[in-house]
Amino acid sequence: MTTTTPTSTSKDNILVDVRHLRMWFPINRGIIIQRTVGYVKAVDDISFFVRRGETLGLVGESGCGKSTTGRAILQLYRPTSGEVYFDGQDLCKMKGEDLRRMRRRMQMIFQDPYASLNPRMTVGNIIGEPLEVHGIARGREKRERVQELLRVVGLNPYFVNRYPHEFSGGQRQRIGVARALAVNPDFIVCDEPISALDVSIRAQIINLLEELQEQFGLTYLFIAHDLSVVRHISNRVAVMYLGKIMELTSREELYENPLHPYTQALLSAVPIPDPVVEEKRRRIILEGDVPSPVNPPKGCNFCTRCPVVMEICKNEEPEFKEVQPGHWVACWRVGH
Amino acid sequence: MTKYIIRRLFWSIPVLFFLTLAVFVLIRAIPGGPFDFAGDKSLPPSVVKNLEAKYHLNDPVWKQFVDYLKDLILRFDLGPSFRYKSRTVNDIIAQTLPISAQLGLVALALALLIGIPAGIIAALRQNTMVDYTATFIAIIGVSIPAIVMGPFLIWIFALPHDIGGWHYEPIFPVSRWGAKPPFFLGFLPVPDLEFWKYAILPAFTLGTGLSASIARLTRASLLQVIREDYIRTARAKGLSERAVIVRHALKNSMIPVVTILGPMFAAVLTGTFVVEQIFAIPGLGKHFVTSIGNRDYPVVLGTSLLYGVAIVIANLAVDIVYAWLDPRIRYD
């Protein structure tokens, strides 16, 4: 199988370059002797890059491998194969102390602010711990830095001695953001940072993330299933389906000129806040269910549900091709 | 917190009162009396009558109960033993409880020392041979009762063996631990080699069963905790694997272990019948059992009450430890 990697020239100023990343989870059977009978192909050969200072949105429905991608990039899972270049160094080849030191430069904001904070640590310890383990600050200096971080994310600096359960969901997510920011990272994976929050406070967190990006020159990989949020925050958007990237392009291009049938179907499901246009919106309803990632279709992963499927789609996998400058699509109908 | 402790201690009073009442009534409801036999022969009715009069057993039950409570509350007097004529229940407890507590403490320390690390190792190496081995040993430990384990250990370690010309001279004594006063009463400042020689077999017998339960609980609980999101957060922070386990996972996984530790502590400290019998340790354990057969009413009441107090205090301690382990738990 061939895939043209969306590689880049140096002028693109790439921070994270993911090449042929695979994350397969083994399925083990057997009572006494375990043997691997198959793999969940959560992420199956994806390639993309993130430019310094930009936000790359990663969308797709539940179970398509978005979160796995984020975790595999940060080596919270060790990828099955592929490379993840972070500022030129392959993270997949790093381990132990080298990798641990690298974590200072890449952080993650987690989806569930209720589960991702250790319930028996104070806010001060949660945010301050990375400072200590990376030897950035300790003692009084650490405390001041923690209070500063709390101020930055819009929380009262006097909250340092409180425990996570004393906060609301939105406040907890701010703590999670402060924690990620503590080590002054270059790159943050935002793993659905607002999907567990009330609608009313989502905008606050989104705005906070945008402000911080501007202030600290952060690079985001923003994982979400909400298309309107991704549209709001991203510079470029990648659409994932069943472990693969189907389409990747700039935000404007994706929303104005979606080329992949899956992207078109996704976008057709978003209501438009204009009654006249909304009237004309025609939903493309996808039939059937997402196939199992244990046993994906032989050809294009989307062929079982594609409204415009062709014979070739069922047998051969389409190439992930740059069909227009900066617009990659994996579809037999486009650019083949 | 202080308020909470005071409130809890206050509410333990009715608990202990009803415990006393229930045992007081029930033990008298059992057929037979304390003076039916002296040794193998039965006593003449006139003697029984005199003895019953001496111990006020002819009074109405409610009056006996009130008198008992009066002695208990005003003078901490648990009354005389009917069987051991020269000893009071207070004497019996004062002489035997420290010996039992000594055994219990050593056994519990041993159980924690083996159980918690074994559970941690099994959890961290889940579904490997290490885990299976640890789990297997734990199951064996839980399933083999002390009444089998004790004699087995004696047979192996406390008796001489001659196997194919190789002679084993036992280093451990068979029994009679507790002939010396317990170490923690200040009589023996540092447990010496002699102490450990006597201690190891009975403590091991009692401790293995406990350590197996602790190991299994630690493993299960730690397995649950290391799948929590905040453990992933800790890894993402850039903590070393050791720090992730020690600082983030362990304390969170100790709650179920502490929960069983409370009642376990109360049970072990007040003595265990089987282990004390096997190793001929003059502890309190045997009185829990023999006093019932003897219809030695004050001893039954005294031991029950003591156990009740131990349970109340142990559970209170557990609840206090909870608050330390989990800041979401607040008492006020």
Side-chain angles (χ1 to χ4, degrees), chain A residues 120-272:
Chain A
R120 62 164 315 282
M121 285 174 88
T122 60
V123 169
N125 281 333
I126 288 171
I127 301 174
E129 195 179 28
L131 296 172
E132 216 162 274
V133 298
H134 290 290
I136 298 168
R138 43 183 69 245
R140 197 189 158 77
E141 203 187 332
K142 182 181 90 172
R143 201 182 161 78
E144 276 164 14
R145 174 110 176 91
V146 169
Q147 293 186 328
E148 173 62 27
L149 283 160
L150 284 174
R151 217 171 288 126
V152 165
V153 298
L155 289 173
N156 188 332
Y158 296 107
F159 286 167
V160 279
N161 289 325
R162 298 217 187 152
Y163 288 94
H165 69 272
E166 299 172 64
F167 294 91
S168 69
Q171 287 175 316
R172 281 162 164 246
Q173 198 56 297
R174 285 172 192 270
I175 295 167
V177 172
R179 196 220 83 236
L181 280 180
V183 291
N184 256 330
D186 302 315
F187 176 57
I188 298 183
V189 173
C190 308
D191 185 6
E192 307 208 30
I194 56 163
S195 28
L197 303 179
D198 280 352
V199 177
S200 56
I201 49 170
R202 288 184 176 180
Q204 293 176 11
I205 298 293
I206 291 290
N207 292 339
L208 173 69
L209 289 173
E210 284 185 318
E211 283 161 30
L212 295 173
Q213 181 168 40
E214 204 160 306
Q215 202 176 339
F216 299 108
L218 299 168
T219 305
Y220 288 149
L221 176 66
F222 194 94
I223 300 169
H225 57 247
D226 184 334
L227 284 162
S228 33
V229 170
V230 168
R231 180 177 198 166
H232 178 80
I233 200 170
S234 310
N235 302 101
R236 294 187 305 136
V237 181
V239 179
M240 268 187 96
Y241 180 82
L242 199 59
K244 287 189 182 288
I245 295 183
M246 293 286 149
E247 186 162 6
L248 168 61
T249 185
S250 70
R251 167 183 60 181
E252 294 78 15
E253 180 77 2
L254 187 94
Y255 285 86
E256 297 303 319
N257 181 26
L259 294 178
H260 198 284
Y262 179 61
T263 316
Q264 289 165 357
L266 277 186
L267 289 175
S268 80
V270 181
I272 300 156

Side-chain angles (χ1 to χ4, degrees), chain B:
Chain B
M1 186 60 117
T2 321
K3 263 193 221 159
Y4 172 78
I5 295 171
I6 293 169
R7 190 165 23 156
R8 277 285 296 265
L9 288 175
F10 174 80
W11 282 109
S12 69
I13 295 170
V15 170
L16 294 174
F17 172 81
F18 283 109
L19 172 73
T20 315
L21 180 63
V23 177
F24 195 93
V25 173
L26 285 174
I27 189 70
R28 279 166 172 75
I30 305 177
F35 309 113
D36 292 354
F37 299 98
D40 288 338
K41 27 183 230 286
S42 54
L43 291 168
S46 58
V47 177
V48 172
K49 236 192 178 97
N50 283 336
L51 282 168
E52 281 179 347
K54 182 187 170 201
Y55 292 116
H56 306 287
L57 289 175
N58 297 323
D59 291 350
V61 174
W62 67 264
K63 188 173 181 300
Q64 291 181 41
F65 185 64
V66 172
D67 288 341
Y68 181 79
L69 282 187
K70 256 192 218 154
D71 283 350
L72 179 61
I73 293 163
L74 296 180
R75 293 185 286 127
F76 277 115
D77 184 0
L78 291 163
S81 164
F82 294 166
R83 170 70 34 162
Y84 307 97
K85 299 277 161 34
S86 56
R87 298 161 82 187
T88 65
V89 178
N90 291 39
D91 289 340
I92 292 175
I93 289 176
Q95 284 160 13
T96 57
L97 179 64
I99 293 167
S100 286
Q102 166 180 263
L103 169 63
L105 279 175
V106 176
L108 205 63
L110 199 70
L112 288 172
L113 233 53
I114 299 171
I116 290 183
I120 293 171
I121 292 167
L124 296 183
R125 303 261 176 284
Q126 193 199 2
N127 295 338
T128 62
M129 277 321 285
V130 181
D131 179 21
Y132 295 147
T133 313
T135 310
F136 180 74
I137 294 173
I139 290 172
I140 300 242
V142 175
S143 348
I144 296 182
I147 205 157
V148 175
M149 183 64 97
F152 182 70
L153 289 177
I154 291 175
W155 177 61
I156 292 187
F157 294 108
L159 297 178
H161 294 289
D162 281 294
I163 308 161
W166 177 74
H167 179 72
Y168 169 73
E169 186 58 36
I171 44 170
F172 299 113
V174 178
S175 63
R176 294 223 54 83
W177 189 30
K180 281 186 176 180
F183 68 91
F184 56 84
L185 290 185
F187 296 105
L188 189 68
V190 184
D192 57 4
L193 187 67
E194 173 89 358
F195 172 86
W196 288 113
K197 271 189 181 176
Y198 278 99
I200 228 118
L201 290 187
F204 197 78
T205 306
L206 185 54
T208 41
L210 306 177
S211 75
S213 316
I214 292 171
R216 287 176 59 76
L217 212 58
T218 305
R219 175 182 178 274
S221 172
L222 189 59
L223 276 179
Q224 200 182 354
V225 169
I226 56 181
R227 276 170 188 47
E228 294 281 350
D229 277 4
Y230 57 78
I231 298 300
R232 187 180 297 127
T233 307
R235 291 214 174 90
K237 277 179 182 176
L239 266 66
S240 66
E241 196 55 31
R242 223 183 85 90
V244 170
I245 299 300
V246 174
R247 278 162 53 184
H248 289 259
L250 266 188
K251 258 184 184 171
N252 278 299
S253 66
M254 278 300 116
I255 284 209
V257 181
V258 168
T259 309
I260 58 154
L261 229 48
M264 215 181 235
F265 199 71
V268 188
L269 239 58
T270 49
T272 37
F273 181 68
V274 172
V275 177
E276 287 175 7
Q277 285 299 300
I278 291 170
F279 292 93
I281 296 165
L284 182 60
K286 102 172 175 185
H287 295 287
F288 277 91
V289 181
T290 53
S291 62
I292 297 171
N294 292 338
R295 305 287 185 273
D296 197 342
Y297 300 159
V299 176
V300 174
L301 272 163
T303 49
S304 306
L305 203 55
L306 181 75
Y307 191 62
V309 170
I311 287 276
V312 164
I313 291 174
N315 279 330
L316 179 60
V318 164
D319 286 346
I320 292 166
V321 175
Y322 278 166
W324 173 70
L325 284 174
D326 188 347
R328 282 170 297 186
I329 298 169
R330 280 268 169 274
Y331 307 114
D332 27 43

Side-chain angles (χ1 to χ4, degrees), chain A residues 33-49:
Chain A
I33 297 155
Q34 297 264 308
R35 69 208 148 81
T36 303
V37 294
Y39 292 94
V40 177
K41 295 169 183 167
V43 174
D44 197 10
D45 195 355
I46 65 170
S47 300
F48 62 91
F49 59 82

